[in-house]
Every structure is written in C-alpha cells, then in structure tokens.
C-alpha cells in the first residue's frame, strides 16, 4: 500500500481565513489526505495567506519562506500559497517568490486535492491570474444567489458536490456535506471557539480598502446552511460560535430580508451544547434598533459590538467614503449601553489618512475619550494597491503618520486600561479557553478571541475547570485590558473578595 499523502495548513490573517482553512482541510481529508499540525511533518505545506495590509503581506511571505526552508532538512516537498494574498497577486506573487511551488486562487479550492497532487508529483499548475471579483456576481444583490459557478470560500454552491473520490464513510471529525451547498469542514485544533461564515465579500467602496476587489461582492449564506454547520460544530465540542464576514450588518439583503440576522440569532442560540454566540464586523451606518435589541437581550448572544468606525472626523470619513461623525457614534454607543450597560464595544481606526488635519485628529481623540471602548486597534495609513485613496494627492508625510500613530496608540492603551478598571466589581461569565502554565485563561462576553484581552481566573487553589466550561466570576482586578476574576457561587469565591 502506498504511503498516505500528508498536508499541513498554516493560517495567517483573520477568522475568515481560519474558516477557509478548515474547508480546505475538509476537502483534503475527504479525498484521503492525512492532516498534520507541523509543516515539517507534511509532504505539502499549504500557507493560507493574508493580503490586507503591508504588515500582513510581509508575515505571509515570511511564512512561505519559512515553510520553504523545511524542504532542505524535513519531509516537506512542496510549499503552496493560497488565500487572499495569493488571490490578490497571483502570477505576480509567483514571480516574486519562486520558493512557492504553487500559487492557487479561490477558483482552485474545489479541486485542491488534484492541485496539490499535481504539484507534489513534480508537475506545474499555472499560477492564479487575478481578476476583479466584484465583476463575477450580478450588480443586483437579489440575483446573486443564482450565480452557482462563482467560487465562494466557506460557502459551496448549488450543484456543488463533495470530492468525487470521497469515501462513503467520511473520516471521523469531518463535517458531512448536508445538502448541495454545504461545504466539507474539518476542525484544525481543539479550541472551544469556532468561527462560522455568514457571508462573503463586501459592497461598500471604502477608498482605503482593497478587500472587495479580491473577495468580491457581498453574498449571504442561507440560514439553513449556517444552522447546520453550527449544529455540527456544537457536536464537535465547540461552545462559542463567532459569526464572521466582511459586513455582518448586511446579512440577508440578497435573500430578500435585511433583518434576517435578527431572526437567525435566536435560532443559533438555541443549538444544543452552545454557550455563547458572538457577532463580529458590524457597520455603524447600518446598525438597526432591532439588531441592537436582539444583540442585547437574547440569551447566549453576547452583547458585543465590533463596530467599524475607522475615524470620527466628518471630513476624513467622507474622504474614506464612509458616514457618521463623533456625536452620532457616541449616540450609538449610548443607545447600546442603555439596553446593556456591560456591553462590550471595540473598533479599529486609521490615522494619517490623506488630508487628515490636526483638527481631525483632535476630533478622533474626542471620540475616543468619550467612547469607553474595550479594545482599540490603531493603524497608520499606507497606500494599498488598487484603492482610490492611493491616488489621492494630499498625502500625509510618513513621519507625521508615524507620530500620530504613536500618539493615538498611547491614548488607546490608556483608555482601554481605564475601561477594564471600570469593570472591577462586575460579575461576568467566563468561557475557559485553556489551562496552562499561565493559569486558567478565558474570556468574558466583551472579549473576542485574540483581539480584546482575556480573563485570568483566580481559582484559590481549587481544581481548574476544563476548557469550554462557562464560569460565573467576579472581576477583582485589571492588568491593562486583561481582567482577574474569582469564581462565585462555590467554595472558589473567597469571602474577602466578596467584600
């Protein structure tokens, strides 16, 4: 019997990429590949790249080069690039990085097994040719669901089938293709948290962002597909689901119901075994009172608002082709906290955008001082290939961009630490993520994985709860954005802390 083929998936970038990697893993497992964690133990290392900003692209290139080094002293025979950077640059990336044995785009995902086998056998598969994926779907959202021939990672389309050679009995831990649109999926890792795609693409035309050009126009997954995948993940032991897309507030608009998320969330929260549902990537200009109500009042749905503000000065926002201003954004946060005082709120911001004045920066600082955000990401503006802003003439000097980045980052660090300190004395539900040499580490409802800080549970010498358990605890201290909490309602909670 020939030795089985082995493959490792190295994932960079956002949670959407993590979902794509698990789809690739599912397709490969169904076609007989053995999945391994360490690229050094794999015949083929598949690097799922990020193409969002310059730093992410550099990390992707570094990961490809690191995997290529394994070919000199490990089992690895081939290194293949997939993901957003591969989709965005294709042949250009292949020419600039000959160390990659293949550069595959989203259109190759359905045939990923054949592509890797060709490369592993010494053959050559033509590098992906980039194209503007916004032009692949109809302009009208209502007509997009019928576009079955467009590759949408994390979806699977009408008429799509599992790999032709998939065994009758799928390997243990592989999501069945329950219906013609459901993708195969294989979990990579044992975290109690998993992401589920609500949609792909984006119809917004922010002048600084290239994502729609390589991710395409917005298209929703059907509610039944989202529910079925969520049920399967719960059966695999997942306790928290994070709903991801480029813009969750648009979910359902191409299905004829812009309020579909409000209907879907209670159904997801009712899935047996789940402890928490979290919604990410919300557009402030599209927030609806009904959506706020559902996010703040539905049991097991985290009152968590990942709002894409980007700036608050009206002139800068208009140049970004976005909407709102400081006072409107503060009013939105006030409306949220009126319904859920402990609600979590986070956002990212760009400083140094072309034309940004000192007055604009001061307006952003006014917003940050009033917003009481739990987590703040700050990025200095840089030109992105193919974006409208890259052609703007009134660019901010790079040294000034760096100064503003440092200034606002320092303010953000101070403000988020203050916000964490405000939570001392609160009772929170902590989902345990891991137990290791650092202790029992988890997250409260206002903390998304990897981005928003964490909670250290002070067990007071008691036995540590297992990952995936939800623990009610009282916050007793803060360390930057992180919290320290003691479990309540049992011998774990000391009377001293209660006082």
């Amino acid at each position: 019997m020939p030795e089985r083929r082995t493959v490792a998936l190295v994932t960079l970038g956002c949670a959407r990429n993590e979902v794509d990697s698990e789809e690739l893993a599912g397709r490969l497992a169904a076609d007989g590949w053995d999945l391994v964690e360490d690229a050094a133990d794999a015949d083929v290392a598949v690097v799922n790249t990020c193409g969002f900003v310059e730093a992410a692209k550099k990390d992707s290139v570094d990961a490809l080069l690191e995997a290529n080094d394994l070919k000199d002293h490990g089992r690895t025979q081939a290194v293949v690039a997939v993901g957003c950077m591969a989709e965005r640059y294709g042949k250009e990336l292949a020419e600039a990085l000959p160390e990659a044995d293949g550069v595959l785009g989203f259109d190759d995902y359905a045939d990923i097994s054949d592509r890797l086998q060709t490369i592993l056998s010494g053959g050559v598969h033509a590098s992906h040719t980039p194209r503007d994926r916004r032009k692949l779907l109809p302009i009208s959202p209502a007509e997009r669901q019928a576009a079955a021939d467009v590759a949408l990672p994390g979806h699977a389309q009408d008429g799509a089938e599992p790999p032709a050679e998939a065994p009758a009995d799928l390997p243990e831990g592989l999501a069945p293709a329950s219906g013609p649109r459901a993708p195969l999926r294989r979990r990579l890792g044992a975290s109690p948290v998993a992401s589920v795609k609500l949609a792909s693409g984006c119809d917004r035309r922010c002048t600084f962002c290239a994502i729609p050009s390589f991710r395409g126009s917005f298209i929703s997954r059907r509610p039944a597909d989202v529910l079925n995948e969520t049920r399967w993940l719960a059966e695999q032991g997942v306790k928290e689901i994070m709903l991801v897309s480029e813009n969750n507030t648009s979910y359902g608009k191409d299905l004829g119901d812009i309020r579909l998320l409000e209907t879907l969330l209670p159904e997801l929260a009712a899935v047996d075994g789940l402890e928490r549902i979290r919604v990410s990537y919300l557009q402030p200009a599209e927030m609806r009172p009904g959506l706020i109500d559902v996010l703040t009042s539905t049991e097991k749905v985290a009152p968590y608002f990942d709002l894409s503000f980007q700036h608050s000065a009206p002139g800068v926002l208009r140049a970004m082709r976005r909407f709102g201003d400081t006072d409107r954004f503060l009013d939105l946060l006030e409306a949220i906290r009126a319904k859920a005082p402990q609600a979590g709120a986070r956002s990212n911001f760009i400083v140094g955008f072309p034309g940004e004045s000192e007055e604009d920066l001061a307006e952003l600082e006014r917003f940050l001082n009033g917003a009481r955000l739990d987590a703040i990401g700050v990025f200095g503006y840089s030109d992105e290939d193919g974006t409208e802003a890259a052609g703007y003439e009134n660019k901010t000097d790079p040294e000034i961009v760096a100064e503003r980045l440092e200034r606002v980052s320092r303010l953000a660090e101070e403000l988020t630490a203050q916000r964490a300190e405000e939570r001392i004395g609160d009772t929170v539900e902590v989902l345990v993520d891991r137990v290791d040499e650092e202790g029992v580490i988890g997250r409260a409802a206002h903390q998304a994985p990897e981005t928003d800080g964490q909670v250290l549970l002070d067990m007071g010498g008691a036995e540590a709860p297992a990952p995936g358990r939800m623990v009610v605890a009282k916050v007793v201290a803060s360390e930057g954005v992180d919290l320290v909490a003691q479990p309540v309602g049992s011998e774990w909670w000391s009377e001293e802390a209660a006082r």
Side-chain angles (χ1 to χ4, degrees), residues 43 54 61 81-82 113 115 142 224 227 249 274 329 356 422 437 458 473:
D43 297 319
E54 200 61 38
V61 170
V82 299
S113 180
R115 300 289 186 264
L227 273 166
T249 37
L274 289 186
F329 291 164
E356 180 191 61
E422 290 177 10
E437 64 277 1
D458 177 6

Side-chain angles (χ1 to χ4, degrees), residues 327-340:
D327 292 329
R328 291 182 187 180
F329 291 164
L330 290 176
D331 287 346
L332 172 59
L333 291 169
E334 183 179 352
I336 291 168
R337 289 172 176 140
K339 295 181 177 295

Side-chain angles (χ1 to χ4, degrees), residues 104-180:
L104 306 180
F106 298 151
D107 293 334
D108 292 304
Y109 282 22
D111 301 307
I112 187 67
S113 180
D114 289 343
R115 300 289 186 264
L116 296 190
Q117 186 58 57
T118 295
I119 294 168
L120 186 60
S121 301
V124 176
H125 180 73
S127 297
H128 164 67
T129 300
R131 52 182 173 167
D132 189 339
R133 298 192 74 85
R134 291 172 293 192
K135 299 178 180 179
L136 302 183
L137 290 169
I139 294 176
S140 169
E143 298 175 2
R144 292 175 186 167
Q145 291 289 329
D149 58 341
V150 176
L152 298 169
H155 287 234
Q157 288 71 51
D158 288 332
E161 298 293 343
E165 299 179 4
D169 295 321
L170 294 176
E172 182 179 355
L174 185 63
S178 53

Side-chain angles (χ1 to χ4, degrees), residues 263-281:
T263 304
L264 179 60
L265 283 171
E267 295 184 66
L268 292 170
V271 171
D272 288 343
L274 289 186
E275 296 286 352
R276 180 183 288 158
I277 305 291
R278 185 183 304 277
V279 183
S280 60
Y281 305 113

Side-chain angles (χ1 to χ4, degrees), residues 34 72 77 94 119-120 133 158 169 187 191 239 288 296 318 321 328 332 335 357 377 410 430 433 446:
D34 283 339
D72 295 330
Q77 301 172 50
I119 294 168
L120 186 60
R133 298 192 74 85
D158 288 332
D169 295 321
R187 293 216 68 204
S191 169
K239 298 300 180 182
R288 307 174 291 276
T296 55
R318 301 308 172 268
R321 201 172 288 123
R328 291 182 187 180
L332 172 59
S357 65
R410 186 166 56 249
V430 180
D433 281 335
H446 70 281

Side-chain angles (χ1 to χ4, degrees), residues 458-459 462-463 469 471-473 486-495 498:
D458 177 6
M459 302 305 300
E463 183 178 354
R469 178 173 175 182
V471 177
V472 177
Q486 294 178 331
V488 300
S490 74
E491 66 275 10
W492 294 330
W493 184 30
S494 72
E495 291 299 323

Side-chain angles (χ1 to χ4, degrees), residues 15-286:
R16 300 185 294 276
N17 255 17
E18 294 172 4
V19 176
D20 293 350
S21 285
E22 293 197 347
E23 179 193 350
L24 292 173
R27 291 181 179 276
L28 291 166
D31 206 33
W33 291 74
D34 283 339
L35 299 165
V36 296
E37 291 186 16
D38 192 338
D41 298 328
D43 297 319
V44 184
V46 177
V47 180
N48 192 348
T49 60
C50 179
F52 181 41
V53 294
E54 200 61 38
K57 288 183 277 189
K58 182 182 182 303
D59 289 343
S60 295
V61 170
D62 289 345
L64 287 163
L65 293 174
E66 183 178 342
N68 183 69
D69 289 342
L70 298 174
K71 291 192 288 187
D72 295 330
H73 49 77
R75 173 172 177 158
T76 309
Q77 301 172 50
V79 176
V80 175
V82 299
C84 290
M85 189 175 180
E87 175 66 36
R88 184 176 181 184
Y89 294 104
K91 291 182 177 180
E92 182 182 342
L93 175 63
E95 293 170 359
L97 198 71
E99 291 85 354
D101 299 288
V103 176
L104 306 180
F106 298 151
D107 293 334
D108 292 304
Y109 282 22
D111 301 307
I112 187 67
S113 180
D114 289 343
R115 300 289 186 264
L116 296 190
Q117 186 58 57
T118 295
I119 294 168
L120 186 60
S121 301
V124 176
H125 180 73
S127 297
H128 164 67
T129 300
R131 52 182 173 167
D132 189 339
R133 298 192 74 85
R134 291 172 293 192
K135 299 178 180 179
L136 302 183
L137 290 169
I139 294 176
S140 169
E143 298 175 2
R144 292 175 186 167
Q145 291 289 329
D149 58 341
V150 176
L152 298 169
H155 287 234
Q157 288 71 51
D158 288 332
E161 298 293 343
E165 299 179 4
D169 295 321
L170 294 176
E172 182 179 355
L174 185 63
S178 53
R181 294 182 312 275
L184 294 166
R185 180 170 180 174
R186 177 68 172 262
R187 293 216 68 204
L188 298 172
S191 169
V193 185
S195 295
V196 173
K197 273 195 180 180
L198 272 184
S200 289
C202 186
D203 286 342
R204 302 183 71 88
R205 294 296 180 261
C206 301
T207 58
F208 57 83
C209 183
I211 289 176
S213 67
F214 57 85
R215 278 288 183 180
S217 297
F218 185 90
I219 185 165
S220 304
R221 292 182 69 196
R222 301 190 186 189
D225 297 337
V226 177
L227 273 166
N228 285 339
E229 188 171 340
T230 298
R231 292 186 181 111
W232 176 79
L233 287 166
E235 291 170 359
Q236 301 300 303
V238 170
K239 298 300 180 182
E240 178 177 327
I241 291 294
M242 187 161 69
L243 299 177
V244 299
S245 76
E246 278 73 21
N247 178 9
N248 280 335
T249 37
S250 283
Y251 178 67
K253 72 175 186 178
D254 52 323
L255 295 171
D257 184 1
I258 191 60
R259 294 177 176 81
L260 194 55
L261 183 55
E262 287 96 303
T263 304
L264 179 60
L265 283 171
E267 295 184 66
L268 292 170
V271 171
D272 288 343
L274 289 186
E275 296 286 352
R276 180 183 288 158
I277 305 291
R278 185 183 304 277
V279 183
S280 60
Y281 305 113
L282 301 169
Q283 288 291 339
E286 299 179 30

